[in-house]
Amino acid sequence: MNSCRICAGPLDEFLDLGRQPLSDAFRLPNDTRDEFFFELRVGLCRSCTMVQLIDEVPREHMFHEDYPYHSSGSSAMREHFTGTARYLLDTELRGPDAFAVELGCNDGVMLRTISEAGVRHLGVEPSGGVARLARGKGIRVRTAFFEEETARDIAATEGRADVVYAANTLCHIPYLDSVFRGLDAVLKPTGVFVFEDPYLGDIVDRTAFDQIYDEHYYFFTARSVRDLARRHGFELVDVRRLPVHGGEVRYTLARAGQREPSPAVAELLAEERTRRLHELDTLRSFASRVETVRADLVALLERLRAEGSRVVAYGATAKSATVTNFCGIGTELIPFVCDTTPAKQGRLTPGAHIPVRESAEFAAPYPDYALLFAWNHAAEIMSNERDFRASGGKWILYVPDVHIV
Ligand code: SAM
Ligand code: TMP
Ligand code: ZN
């Protein structure tokens, strides 16, 4: 029996997405080195309800000098993080000599606004390439993994923080015991930890199984976060649902007894209970819908190929590694995928080895169909590429089910 990374309780496996590569390891075409693969399986802890991967990929394989994900690549996400920074400036960072720490600040998409406001800040970012991009924007960044030792060093050299913030980063960190000891060391007694990550409730609602990949180790809920916080002397004092990245929740933790929890916490906990989000049968029925999406998507792509239609993909997302490798979709069905990220262009997608091309090639000439891997950016991409639809092109989506628009 596998055991929970949080509480050592028994894990019930409910989904096996098979042998998968590192989701962000885009390969050069002439690279002949062996690719790293692992088993992508997901389990539910019977004791603390945390949903998590069963196998852990060493962190240095994922987060390094060449980590290719650039947070500023989407205008909608730039706006989201400008709004987040303003919210933190207006709430937690109003005091004199306020200090903000961000885990996984990436290219500085959020800290930029904090820095421009003249507020003391520090990003902690292990991936050297993106950390340099943030420094180029005048942001202070330490190239390190956040864990107990890093946090103690920050507290000793910079003082304690009013807020520690993390977006799409905490769920990437298996070793949360060390992270919480670090939070305890680096936060002021009244300080808060604010983090946002994909919400299990939305993943299940939308059958968004592509949110599951090596980097996404935990799939949080109000219930599992409340229990996690309690283990470490913290309390869940606020939750807020966010529309970004296909549905997220922003959680606020304070030291136990420091803040009155908002009514939103009890409401989300009650909703999760009513919908039986932490019951194994709910998660098993999600897993069976995943099988249906796989069968429908492969059947559609094979039919379009048989009819002689040209289909390409849009958005070489980390998520799409799960889709292509789980469904067995390769260049015979999708000859290339367009993406605006320079660090991905000219390379091959992990495992499936589909070439990544510049988005300019999308229009040269337009395909009949485009499979939208970056479905979480659908509004932005469909608006930028409105000429594709005007020319008769159609988008293929597979969330919440396989459909054509
Ligand atoms: N916060 C940005 C956003 O929401 O767009 C970046 C998210 S990116 C998916 C995850 C980031 O977390 C990467 O830049 C990665 O290098 C960083 N990361 C991974 N482990 C970390 C750790 N232990 N401490 C701090 N950052 C970490
Ligand atoms: P994400 O879903 O993990 O944020 O990744 C989105 C990917 O899609 C990233 O590689 C950038 C790419 N992308 C485009 O190619 N065009 C766009 O307009 C947007 C918003 C993203
Ligand atoms: Zn557990």
Side-chain angles (χ1 to χ4, degrees), residues 21-210:
L22 302 170
S23 61
D24 267 317
F26 291 84
R27 284 161 75 85
L28 287 168
N30 58 4
D31 191 345
T32 54
R33 284 172 300 175
D34 282 346
E35 222 169 339
F36 178 94
F37 285 95
F38 75 109
E39 287 299 315
L40 185 57
R41 299 177 298 151
V42 200
L44 164 74
C45 175
R46 255 183 246 169
S47 305
C48 77
T49 74
M50 185 66 82
V51 170
Q52 58 202 276
L53 297 191
I54 292 172
D55 297 278
E56 183 174 334
V57 173
R59 62 187 189 178
E60 290 79 9
H61 286 22
M62 300 183 281
F63 311 115
H64 44 65
E65 182 60 30
D66 300 320
Y67 182 65
Y69 183 70
H70 294 187
S71 300
S72 296
S74 147
S75 63
M77 292 312 295
R78 288 197 298 276
E79 269 171 44
H80 169 74
F81 286 119
T82 305
T84 303
R86 293 212 179 103
Y87 160 74
L88 294 176
L89 288 168
D90 289 345
T91 52
E92 309 301 336
L93 297 171
R94 279 178 311 183
D97 197 31
F99 180 37
V101 172
E102 185 181 12
L103 320 187
C105 67
N106 199 272
D107 60 8
V109 68
M110 195 290 288
L111 280 181
R112 172 176 214 153
T113 307
I114 305 269
S115 158
E116 284 167 4
V119 168
R120 214 152 61 80
H121 63 273
L122 182 68
V124 182
E125 175 49 71
S127 299
V130 290
R132 255 196 309 287
L133 292 174
R135 275 188 211 104
K137 296 170 186 162
I139 294 160
R140 295 185 59 239
V141 187
R142 229 180 243 214
T143 306
F145 286 96
F146 185 88
E147 56 194 332
E148 184 178 3
E149 203 189 325
T150 327
R152 289 198 182 285
D153 193 63
I154 295 170
T157 54
E158 313 241 356
R160 296 214 195 187
D162 298 273
V163 59
V164 174
Y165 173 74
N168 307 299
T169 296
L170 197 71
C171 75
H172 294 51
I173 309 182
Y175 41 99
L176 289 183
D177 44 349
S178 172
V179 166
F180 271 88
R181 287 195 300 273
L183 289 169
D184 194 34
V186 82
L187 276 173
K188 288 180 183 165
T190 53
V192 290
F193 178 41
V194 179
F195 66 99
E196 56 197 63
D197 282 296
Y199 179 50
L200 180 70
D202 288 314
I203 294 173
V204 169
D205 277 347
R206 298 173 185 196
T207 316
F209 67 99
D210 58 347

Side-chain angles (χ1 to χ4, degrees), residues 69 74 245 315 317 319 339-341 344 374 376-377 380-381:
Y69 183 70
S74 147
H245 285 314
T317 56
K319 292 186 284 295
D339 195 286
T340 48
T341 315
K344 296 181 181 179
N376 46 315
H377 302 290
E380 180 173 350
I381 290 174

